Amino acid sequence: MRTARPAGIVGYGAYVPRPRVRASSIAAAWGREAAHLPVREKSVPGLDEDAVTMAIEAARGAVARSGVAPDRIRAVWVGSESKPYAVKPSGTIVAEAIGATPWVSAADLEFACKAGSEAMQAALAFVGSGMADYALGIGMDAAQSKPGDALELTAAAGGAAFLFGPAEEALAVVEATASYVTDTPDFFRRQHLHYPEHGHRFTGEPSYFAHSRAASRGLLEGLGRRPADYRWAVFHQPNPKFMRRVAADLGFTEEQIAAGAVVDRIGNTYSGASLLGLAAVLDTAREGDRIFFCSYGSGAGSDSFSFVATPRLAAARAAAPSVDDYLENRRAIGDYGEYLRLSRKIRML
Amino acid sequence: MELPRYHRMRRALYRLEGTSCPSCSRRFFPPRAVCPACRKGGLEPFPFSGRGTLYSYTRITQAPRGFASVAPYAVGMVRLEEGPLVSAPLADTDGIDLSIGMPVEMVTRRIHEASENGPIVYGYKFRPRLRPPRQ
Amino acid sequence: MRDVGIIGIGQTAVAEHWDRSIEDLAVEAITEARRDAGTDRADALFVGNMLSGELAGQENLATAIADAAALLPIEALKIEAACASGGAALRAAWLAVASGAHDYALVVGVEKMTDHLTDGVTAALATAADADYEAGFGISFVALTALLMRRYMHDHAARREDFAAFSINSHRNAALNPRALYRQPITVADFIASPVVADPINVLDSAGICDGAAALLICPAAEAGRARRTPVRIAASACATDTLGLAERADPLVWQAVAGSARLAYDRAKVGPKDIDLFEVHDAFSIVSVLTLEACGFADRGSALRLAAEGRIALEGDIPICTLGGLKGRGHPVGASGVYQIVEVVQQLRGEAGPAQVKGARVGMAQSVGGSGSVSVTHILRA
């Protein structure tokens, strides 16, 4: 899929909350072996944080890097599976906080872990069709996981925001995008329940891998490109293993994915995961670098994007904290008890 | 549920919007309708940058009703770059030695929720400024 | 304006009155004041109270008390100025009598705080602050005061223990007052070991939550001579205000409302700080005493801690403060405190303060402060 009018990312911002819990603390609480844990630690939202507050900070970073007046933004779309309200848009709060209201479209998108790239694609289409000059797509989660479930070892908090605009102002131009979706129920959360359920090994080959590969290959073939044509590649990263295996399946190298491998350091931020990886790549990419991006959301589907970094990218970076700034701004949580308190997993009887 | 109360404050709460006096250019936060210096109305909205330094701080151990679930928590007074002094909760202060004069910046966080089925009030807090400082 | 005198005083013990309502307390104090004055005359009732709406669910409080005290159908009004409500009620009564609108006016300050748990009382007290921009953010009243104390310590290189002398003085004097709540003496070591409420403020920096009522009967000085008791004259009554939000002041450590009401009172009474024989300070927190003594001209900026360290605030010092315990030692039933202060100044000027008597006291000052110094009422009384 290509836009009618050339468009790209004119600003980006990331957010990762400061608290970190060690995977070994979680493992110890549930009698799991400390060996072979998928990540060393994961990010946890503070008591005063949720997907909305985190989206606001990422959105502010994106606006600051773009230099665009907030009242020129025509859409604020938030992709998340941890909306603080089941009914009531998060996008309105974010739009109000960044000063984009009232002449703006706002909505929340849900597609498990690819809600964020859905928001990006919609924002790109808004600009690429000529309907708007600027539109913001955000992926942000305070990821939910059932206490004791394997997901609890990785389900983390964070995400990123991307402001799309005309190609001539872009930090990274979009070459094309693709979406590949089938009905594959590998992971879901029923209405009124706190935590998602997942299909264990069913989440792997028929779900994550099949969809990520298809969306990636479709885009590469459409553009007539090979993995070697890209300097960087970012995939959805539910854990370090899946991300590396799909990259290898497609022919991408460790060097190409290293810069965007945020999961290694803070875990899986669900709707925010691939977007946070892309933000980390934009923190280091140079002019002319090609960037390959592919998300994955359970249910299931993948959105792939091909970007090219422009000369404007380097100059825009200093206007907001980098992903690394957030990764380094960390505070170790004392124990599993404090983690439960911060994650609001303690229910008073 | 005090829905209209927080709704009418949303610009001040979410993005630290105050007012400025067109006659004497004094800036006010919280927003004022009448300039205390000129004793005239007609004040205009003024967006504060959110950057400032810590004037004073404390950690509340005995929280008022509605705030016990987040106690203990730090609050402070912040001297904004544009002049006014603002009282506000402080964010991300665990494990940090606060000190008078330290650079802080505004973030938007959850301030209060009266109950599990009530509205969530979002508003400004200040946290120790991240490096590098924003432009 | 007519000269006005105080001819009757009454007070309940300051305590946790578990078995008594707000009306019960007010009626006891009123009855004692009328007995003290030796007259049943009363043309109006002014009630100083801050929290009856929040804590008792009872507004229209003045009518409720007039009814309970069998004072109907006289005019009865509640006067609210946060923690300065007591002083403000006397001021309203003084305006009524001095102007000639009324001859005999009753004043009662009353607060019933122990019907609620601490978090509820903390939230109720926070209504003295800016509801939208202070209390609404969980910034409690103690926290606002703690912010001031921290900054004061920073600006003047003061240590936390330097503030202990104020609490020690209040407790020492309270031990001499049978109506006071906190009558046990405390030491610097107790002060340092006391639990933190909002650092650097600890429990022994803070006046406690309690119940109480105090009452006065005032009338024109010309008629006061006929009263049973030697009248004490109200030489000045003054009130001033400052920004509701603490942060909105040019300098939060300079309490303009406190300074302003004191200055007006000095002018009207034609006295200065040197003429004041005793000063009932609104010592809700030790830092409040410090800022008050500086604002009212008893100490230069940054030097009030020295007054305490040198013992000058003690009963035998040159400016005795909180002579019967103050808010800290007697207890601080908020809307009643301002009236307790007046009752105590009258005791001193009558020479009836017992072991707490300030020798030769002729001129006494009492000051109520509401909010974080946002409203202040000052009275100067003469024997």
Side-chain angles (χ1 to χ4, degrees), chain A residues 61-84:
Chain A
V63 173
R65 282 195 172 108
S66 72
V68 170
D71 62 358
R72 299 188 62 200
I73 297 170
R74 291 287 167 268
V76 175
W77 287 316
V78 181
S80 180
E81 55 190 280
S82 51
K83 284 159 49 85

Side-chain angles (χ1 to χ4, degrees), chain B residues 64, chain C residues 50-51 120-131 134-136 138-141 144:
Chain C
M50 174 182 172
L51 298 170
V121 177
T122 306
L125 288 170
T127 62
D130 185 323
E134 292 175 337
I139 306 175
S140 66
F141 201 65
L144 288 166

Side-chain angles (χ1 to χ4, degrees), chain C residues 69-307:
Chain C
L71 291 166
L72 304 180
I74 64 167
E75 171 178 347
L77 299 171
K78 166 171 161 171
I79 309 293
E80 190 278 315
C83 303
S85 298
L90 170 59
R91 177 160 168 76
W94 175 82
L95 286 168
V97 175
S99 67
H102 286 298
D103 285 331
Y104 283 74
L106 276 166
V107 178
V108 65
V110 62
E111 207 74 67
K112 172 77 195 165
M113 304 173 79
T114 57
D115 280 358
H116 282 258
L117 304 181
T118 306
D119 65 335
V121 177
T122 306
L125 288 170
T127 62
D130 185 323
D132 285 342
Y133 292 96
E134 292 175 337
F137 279 86
I139 306 175
S140 66
F141 201 65
V142 186
L144 288 166
T145 315
L147 292 171
L148 285 174
M149 183 165 165
R150 166 101 60 207
R151 184 70 199 196
Y152 188 95
M153 289 165 66
H154 173 266
D155 286 1
H156 302 297
R159 298 164 307 166
R160 200 162 77 89
E161 53 266 39
D162 295 336
F163 292 79
F166 286 95
S167 299
I168 291 170
N169 178 65
S170 291
H171 276 253
R172 189 197 298 127
N173 296 346
L176 309 174
N177 176 5
R179 306 293 184 103
L181 176 55
Y182 301 105
R183 304 186 60 203
Q184 76 287 14
I186 58 165
T187 64
V188 177
D190 296 334
F191 182 86
I192 292 169
S194 158
V196 172
V197 184
D199 69 328
I201 289 186
N202 61 34
V203 167
L204 284 181
D205 267 308
S206 325
I209 291 167
C210 55
D211 311 322
L216 308 166
L217 182 61
I218 68 172
C219 72
E223 292 188 38
R226 296 205 297 269
R228 195 166 71 87
R229 308 301 307 262
T230 316
V232 166
R233 195 163 66 81
I234 299 176
S237 172
C239 177
T241 49
D242 201 349
T243 63
L244 183 62
L246 179 59
E248 293 176 70
R249 301 182 193 156
D251 184 344
L253 293 178
V254 175
W255 278 21
Q256 298 288 2
V258 165
S261 74
R263 196 166 48 240
L264 287 169
Y266 292 147
D267 288 352
R268 282 173 199 167
K270 298 189 174 59
V271 297
K274 286 190 171 55
D275 304 310
I276 304 296
D277 296 322
L278 68 120
F279 182 13
E280 291 305 325
V281 170
H282 188 91
D283 62 331
F285 301 96
S286 45
I287 181 66
V288 174
S289 301
V290 169
L291 296 178
T292 296
L293 290 169
E294 293 178 8
C296 295
F298 293 97
D300 291 335
R301 184 159 189 195
S303 67
L305 288 171
R306 228 167 30 235
L307 276 191

Side-chain angles (χ1 to χ4, degrees), chain A residues 216-241:
Chain A
S216 297
R217 286 184 179 140
L219 184 65
L220 289 169
E221 283 162 19
L223 287 167
R225 293 248 175 74
R226 294 167 306 137
D229 297 330
Y230 287 88
R231 174 73 181 84
W232 311 103
V234 178
F235 293 93
H236 178 52
Q237 27 202 283
N239 56 59
K241 209 193 279 178

